[in-house]
C-alpha cells in the first residue's frame, strides 16, 4: 500500500518538476524568459558509423541505450507518439535536438526527418531543429542533396534546421574519429564539400579537443583557420572547440594542451596588432565592433548557475523506450528520471524513477550544490566535469573526477600566466568605472585573484 | 586523508541470527561464504599488519568498532587481534559494538571480550554497547522476529548479574538502547498511552541497571529513529507530526510516567532550534571516508557497515535468488550501479579525497541540494507549503544535514549519488514534525 502510494507521489513530483521546467513553458511560451532555455532532445539511437577514440558510446553504448530499445521500428513508432503528444498539447518548442550515433546518411535517418517535416507542416510548433552530425552524409551526393532539401523545406515552414558538424579536422579525423568501414575516405575534397555546405547554410563546426591527439592540434587549428578564410567563414565563430572531459589527460598531454592554448593566444595577439582593446573584444568577447560569439577555449567566461552543457536546459527522451533521461551520457539505469506513461498507445503522463536527480539537474544552483566544486577557488571560471564521465570514473555523477579537475586547473593556471605576461589583466584593471567593460573586467579580475591566491597557498604546501 | 583517520572497524561476522525487516543487509546464503572468509582472515597477524599500514601514527588510533552481521556471534575472533594492537596504540581507548543481544551465548562472548581488556590493567577502556531493542514485545517481535524480545530480556538480566562480578575495573561501560521504527511500527504509537507504554520498557531496563550503582557503568536513554531509506509518504509525515505533538505534550509532565526520560520525541536529538543562515552549522558524518576505516580480507577496505557483502562477487546473484524473501528493495539493490562502499586499500585515498570535499569547511552542497529537493516537494504538495520559501527550505536543510538520518550509503543506493537524499525521509520530517523537533521551548533543544 505504502509502496504504491509512494510511487504515485513520486510520479506526481516528476510531473511537477517537468511541468515547471518544460511543459507549462512550452504551453505558454509567449514572453516566458525561460522558453529559450527549455529545449527537447530526442536521443534516437547510439548506433554510429564511426568509432571515435573518446566517445562514451563506444564503451558504454549498450548501458546508455540498451540493444533491445535500438530497434528501428520501435524507435519510429515512439517518435510518432512523441509528436502526436506534442501536437495535441500545442507545445511551442524553442529547439529540438536530434541526437544519435549517426543515422543521417541512412534511409532511416531520412525517414525520420521526413516525418518531422510532415508534422511541422501539420502544425507542430518548433523554432529550430539542431542536428549534431559527424557529417558523413557529405560523402554521397544523394544524401548531401537530401539534407539540403530538408534545410530548405524546414525553412519554408518557418523552422530552422541547424547542423552542427562534429568534425575534428583534417589532421585528427582519421586518428581520433576513424570510420568503422575502412573503405570510405575523408580527404581534402570531403572537407571542401563540407565547408561549401556549411558556408551556404551558415552552419558551424564543433571539433573536440581531446587528449587522444592533442599534439596535432596546433596544425589542426591553423587548418581550420585557413579553411574559414578560403570559404569566407567567420573565424573563430564558426568553430566551437570544446575540451573533452575524459580521464586521459596525462601530464604529457597537458603540456601539449598548454602549447595549443599558447598557439591560439599568440595568433589572436598578432591579429589584434598587440592592441588590448582588440584582443579583449576578440578573445574575451568584451566590447569591439564584432565580438566573437563562439566558444573560444582561451576565453575565461564566468561559470553560470546552471551546468555548462545542455543538461539543465533540455528534456532528453530516449526514444526507444520513451525514458526521460538526464542526457545522452548519463542515461544509466539509476539516473533515469522516469518514463512517459502510455495508454492505448498515447502518452498520458510520466512514471518516476529518480526524481532527486531531476531536481538537482533542473533546479539546483551549479555553483553551490556540487561537492568539491562548491569550495574550489577555480569555480568562478571552471566549465566543470561532465556528469556522465564523473559517474563512469568516480561512480557518482556529482563527484568531480580529479583528472578532469587537474586538466581545468592546468588550463586556467596557464591562461592566467600567459595573460599576466602579456599585461592583459593589468590593462583590465585600469579600465575606468565609467567604461561599459568595467564590470565584466572586474569580475574576471576577482576570479583571477582567487585562483592566484590558491596557487600561492598550494605552492606553500 | 590519512591524518584524519582515528577509528578502526572490524567485521567479526557476516551472518546474523535475526532477519530484521528493515535491515540494509540482504540475508542470503552468500553471507555464510563471506563469514568463512572472515574467519580465515582473523587467524594470524593479518589485521595487525593491515591496521599498522593504514594507521601509521601510533597516536592516531583512538576507537575500534565491531560490526557484522551480529558481531557478538563470534566476538572471540578478534581477541587475538586486540591483544596485538592495544599495546601498539596508546590512545586506543574507545570501543563500540551494536548488538541484537538475542542468542544464547551472548554473555559468554561479551564477557570474553571484557576479559581481554582486563589483560591491560594500566589502560582505561570506554566501551559503548548499543543494544538494538525496538520497544515492547509487540514492536520488537514484529520488526526483529518472534521471540526476540524475550531472548534480549533474558540476556540483559544475565548480564546485570555478571557485570558486578566480572566486569574489569578498567572498563567504563556505557549501554545505549537503539530502538528503530519503520513506517509500519511507527503507526502503533498512535496515542498518548501507546507512546508511554512504548518507553516504559526502556525506562524499566534503565532502572535495573542504575540500581547496580556502579561508577563504571552508565546507561543512555535511546529515542527511536526511522529505518532509512524509508518509502514514507506525505500521510506518514502528517502522522509523525501528530506523534511529535503528543510526545511534546507528554514531555511537559513526563515525571508522572517515566523515571529517567526527559526527551521522548523521535529524531529530536541534535535539533538546533533557531537556525542562522550560515554555512557554519555542523554536517553529520558517520566517519565514512574521514575518521573511520573498515578492514576486510584480501586488502580490501569497507567504507560502510554493509560494505563487506561485496567480498564475494556472487553476492548479488544469491540476493536475486532469494525467493522473494529479501528485505531489500530488489530494484534498488540490484540496480546496475557499481558498489560504492568497498575499495582496495590502494584506491581508498580517492574515496577519502571525495569525502574530504563532502565535509570540508564552507561547503554548501548538502544544504543547497536538500533545499532544492524540499522546495520541489513543497510545490508538489508533498511537504508543508512553507518550504516553497527558499529561506525556510534552507533552514530545514540545515536541520537535515546535521542529523543522523543523513546517510551517504542510503543516498547512493536510492539516488545513485552520495549527495542527494531520498524523498521519503523529507516527507516524513517536513510535514509538521520539523517545527516540533526544533521547538526551542522543548527541553531537548540544544544550542
Amino acid at each position: 500500500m505504502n509502496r504504491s502510494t509512494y510511487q504515485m507521489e513520486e510520479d506526481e513530483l516528476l510531473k511537477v518538476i517537468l511541468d515547471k521546467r518544460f511543459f507549462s513553458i512550452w504551453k505558454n511560451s509567449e514572453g516566458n524568459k525561460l522558453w529559450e532555455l527549455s529545449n527537447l532532445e530526442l536521443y534516437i539511437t547510439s548506433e554510429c558509423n564511426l568509432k571515435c577514440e573518446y566517445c562514451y558510446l563506444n564503451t558504454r553504448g549498450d548501458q546508455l541505450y540498451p540493444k533491445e530499445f535500438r530497434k528501428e521500428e520501435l524507435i519510429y513508432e515512439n517518435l510518432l507518439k512523441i509528436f502526436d503528444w506534442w501536437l495535441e498539447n500545442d507545445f511551442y518548442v524553442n529547439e529540438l535536438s536530434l541526437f544519435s550515433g549517426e543515422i543521417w546518411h541512412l534511409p532511416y535517418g531520412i525517414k525520420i526527418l521526413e516525418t518531422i517535416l510532415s508534422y511541422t507542416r501539420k502544425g507542430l510548433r518548433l523554432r529550430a531543429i539542431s542536428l549534431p552530425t559527424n557529417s558523413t552524409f557529405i560523402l554521397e551526393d544523394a544524401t548531401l542533396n537530401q539534407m539540403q532539401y530538408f534545410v530548405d523545406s524546414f525553412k519554408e515552414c518557418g523552422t530552422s534546421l541547424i547542423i552542427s558538424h562534429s568534425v575534428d579536422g583534417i589532421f585528427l579525423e582519421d586518428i581520433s574519429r576513424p570510420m568503422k568501414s575502412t573503405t570510405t575516405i575523408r580527404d581534402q575534397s570531403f572537407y571542401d564539400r563540407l565547408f561549401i555546405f556549411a558556408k551556404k547554410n551558415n552552419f558551424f563546426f564543433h571539433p573536440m579537443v581531446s587528449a587522444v591527439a592533442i599534439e596535432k592540434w596546433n596544425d589542426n587549428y591553423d587548418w581550420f583557420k585557413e579553411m574559414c578564410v578560403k570559404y569566407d567563414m567567420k573565424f573563430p565563430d564558426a568553430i566551437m572547440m570544446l575540451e573533452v572531459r575524459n580521464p586521459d589527460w596525462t601530464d604529457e598531454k597537458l603540456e601539449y594542451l598548454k602549447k595549443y592554448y599558447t598557439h591560439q593566444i599568440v595568433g589572436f595577439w598578432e591579429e589584434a596588432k598587440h592592441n588590448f582593446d582588440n584582443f579583449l573584444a576578440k578573445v574575451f568577447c568584451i566590447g569591439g565592433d564584432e565580438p566573437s560569439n563562439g566558444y573560444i577555449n582561451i576565453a575565461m567566461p564566468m561559470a553560470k548557475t546552471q551546468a555548462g552543457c545542455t543538461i539543465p536546459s533540455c528534456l532528453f527522451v530516449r526514444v526507444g523506450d520513451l525514458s526521460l533521461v538526464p542526457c545522452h551520457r548519463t542515461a544509466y539505469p539509476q539516473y533515469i528520471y522516469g518514463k512517459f506513461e502510455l495508454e492505448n498507445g498515447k502518452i498520458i503522463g510520466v512514471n518516476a524513477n529518480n526524481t532527486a536527480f531531476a531536481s538537482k539537474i533542473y533546479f539546483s544552483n551549479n555553483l553551490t550544490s556540487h561537492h568539491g566544486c562548491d569550495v574550489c577557488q577555480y569555480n568562478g571560471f571552471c566549465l566543470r566535469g561532465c556528469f556522465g564521465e564523473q559517474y563512469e570514473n568516480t561512480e557518482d555523477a556529482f563527484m568531480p573526477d580529479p583528472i578532469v579537475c587537474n586538466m581545468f586547473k592546468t588550463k586556467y593556471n596557464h591562461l592566467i600566466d600567459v595573460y599576466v605576461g602579456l599585461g592583459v589583466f593589468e590593462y583590465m584593471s585600469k579600465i575606468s568605472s565609467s567604461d561599459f567593460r568595467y564590470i565584466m573586467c572586474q569580475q574576471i579580475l576577482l576570479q583571477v585573484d582567487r585562483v592566484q591566491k590558491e596557487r600561492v597557498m598550494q605552492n606553500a604546501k | 586523508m590519512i591524518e584524519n583517520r582515528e577509528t578502526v572497524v572490524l567485521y567479526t561476522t557476516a551472518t546474523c541470527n535475526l532477519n530484521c525487516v528493515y535491515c540494509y543487509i540482504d540475508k542470503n546464503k552468500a553471507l555464510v561464504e563471506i563469514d568463512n572468509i572472515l574467519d580465515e582472515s582473523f587467524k594470524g597477524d593479518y589485521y595487525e599488519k593491515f591496521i599498522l599500514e593504514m594507521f601509521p601514527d601510533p597516536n592516531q588510533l583512538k576507537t575500534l568498532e565491531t560490526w557484522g552481521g551480529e558481531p557478538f556471534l563470534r566476538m572471540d575472533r578478534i581477541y587475538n587481534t586486540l591483544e596485538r594492537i592495544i599495546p601498539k596504540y596508546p590512545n586506543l581507548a574507545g570501543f563500540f559494538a551494536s548488538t541484537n543481544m538475542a542468542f544464547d551465548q551472548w554473555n559468554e562472548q561479551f564477557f570474553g571480550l571484557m576479559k581481554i581488556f582486563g589483560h591491560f590493567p594500566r589502560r582505561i577502556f570506554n566501551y559503548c554497547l548499543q543494544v538494538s531493542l525496538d520497544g515492547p514485545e509487540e514492536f520488537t517481535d514484529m520488526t526483529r522476529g518472534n521471540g526476540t524480545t524475550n531472548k534480549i530480556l533474558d540476556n540483559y538480566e544475565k548480564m546485570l548479574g555478571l557485570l558486578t562480578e566480572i566486569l574489569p575495573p578498567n572498563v567504563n561501560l556505557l549501554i545505549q538502547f537503539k530502538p528503530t521504527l519503520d513506517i509500519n511500527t511507527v503507526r502503533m504509537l498512535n496515542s498518548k498511552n501507546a507512546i508511554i507504554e512504548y518507553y516504559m520498557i526502556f525506562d524499566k531496563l534503565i532502572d535495573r541497571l542504575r540500581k547496580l550503582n556502579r561508577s563504571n557503568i552508565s546507561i543512555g536513554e535511546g529515542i527511536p529513529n526511522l529505518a532509512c531509506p524509508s518509502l514514507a509518504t506525505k500521510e506518514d509525515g502528517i502522522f509523525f507530526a501528530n506523534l511529535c505533538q503528543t510526545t511534546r505534550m507528554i514531555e511537559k509532565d513526563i515525571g508522572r510516567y517515566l523515571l529517567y526520560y526527559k526527551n521522548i520525541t523521535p529524531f529530536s536529538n541534535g535539533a538546533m532550534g533557531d537556525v542562522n543562515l550560515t554555512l557554519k552549522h555542523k554536517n553529520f558524518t558517520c566517519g565514512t571516508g574521514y575518521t573511520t576505516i573498515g578492514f576486510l580480507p584480501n586488502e580490501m577496505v569497507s567504507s560502510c557497515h554493509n560494505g563487506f557483502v561485496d567480498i564475494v562477487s556472487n553476492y548479488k546473484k544469491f540476493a536475486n535468488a532469494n525467493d522473494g524473501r529479501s528485505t531489500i528493495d530488489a530494484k534498488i539493490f540490484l540496480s546496475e550501479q557499481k558498489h560504492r562502499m568497498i575499495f582496495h586499500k590502494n584506491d581508498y585515498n580517492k574515496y577519502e579525497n571525495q569525502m574530504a570535499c563532502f565535509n570540508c569547511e564552507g561547503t554548501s552542497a548538502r544544504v543547497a541540494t536538500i533545499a532544492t529537493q524540499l522546495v520541489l516537494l513543497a510545490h508538489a504538495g508533498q511537504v508543508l507549503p512553507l518550504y516553497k520559501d527558499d529561506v525556510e527550505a534552507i533552514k530545514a536543510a540545515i536541520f537535515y544535514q546535521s542529523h543522523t538520518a543523513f546517510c551517504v550509503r542510503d543516498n547512493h543506493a536510492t539516488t545513485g549519488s552520495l549527495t542527494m537524499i531520498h524523498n521519503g525521509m523529507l516527507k516524513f520530517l517536513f510535514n509538521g514534525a520539523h517545527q516540533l523537533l526544533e521547538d526551542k521551548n522543548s527541553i531537548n533543544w540544544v544550542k
Side-chain angles (χ1 to χ4, degrees), chain A residues 2-3 5-10 12-13 16-17 20 60 333-335 352-357 359-360 363-365 367-372 374-375 391-392 394-400, chain B residues 183-184 231-234 236 329 331 336-340 354 357-358 360-366 368-369 372-373 376-377 379-380 382 412 415-424 427:
Chain A
N2 267 320
R3 172 76 178 142
T5 308
Y6 184 83
Q7 187 57 47
M8 280 158 55
E9 288 183 352
E10 284 290 282
E12 178 59 25
L13 177 60
V16 167
I17 290 169
K20 285 180 91 59
R60 305 269 185 158
Q334 66 273 31
Y335 293 147
N353 178 61
N354 191 339
T355 55
F357 209 90
S359 306
K360 182 135 177 154
F363 290 94
S364 72
N365 184 328
L367 299 175
T368 58
S369 65
H370 296 286
H371 288 286
D374 58 347
V375 291
Y391 168 68
E392 290 152 19
T394 73
E395 297 170 34
D396 188 326
F398 298 121
M399 279 291 171
Chain B
I183 48 177
N184 297 315
L231 300 173
T233 63
K234 175 186 176 178
D236 292 320
D329 183 326
K331 184 183 156 211
E336 289 298 312
Q337 61 192 291
K338 290 186 216 168
H339 207 285
R340 194 73 174 77
Q354 287 186 342
C357 299
F358 215 82
C360 68
E361 194 183 332
T363 180
S364 57
R366 281 199 208 199
T369 302
T372 304
Q373 283 182 246
L376 287 161
L377 280 165
H379 279 283
Q382 293 176 24
H412 196 266
T415 71
S417 172
L418 302 174
T419 71
M420 296 180 299
I421 56 173
H422 189 255
N423 285 331
K427 287 188 265 187

Side-chain angles (χ1 to χ4, degrees), chain B residues 38-58:
Chain B
L38 287 175
D39 190 42
E40 279 300 309
S41 71
F42 280 103
K43 293 171 184 166
D45 59 359
Y46 169 74
Y47 286 112
E48 179 194 2
K49 284 182 174 164
F50 199 177
I51 291 168
L52 285 168
E53 185 183 347
M54 301 299 272
F55 290 78
D57 177 353

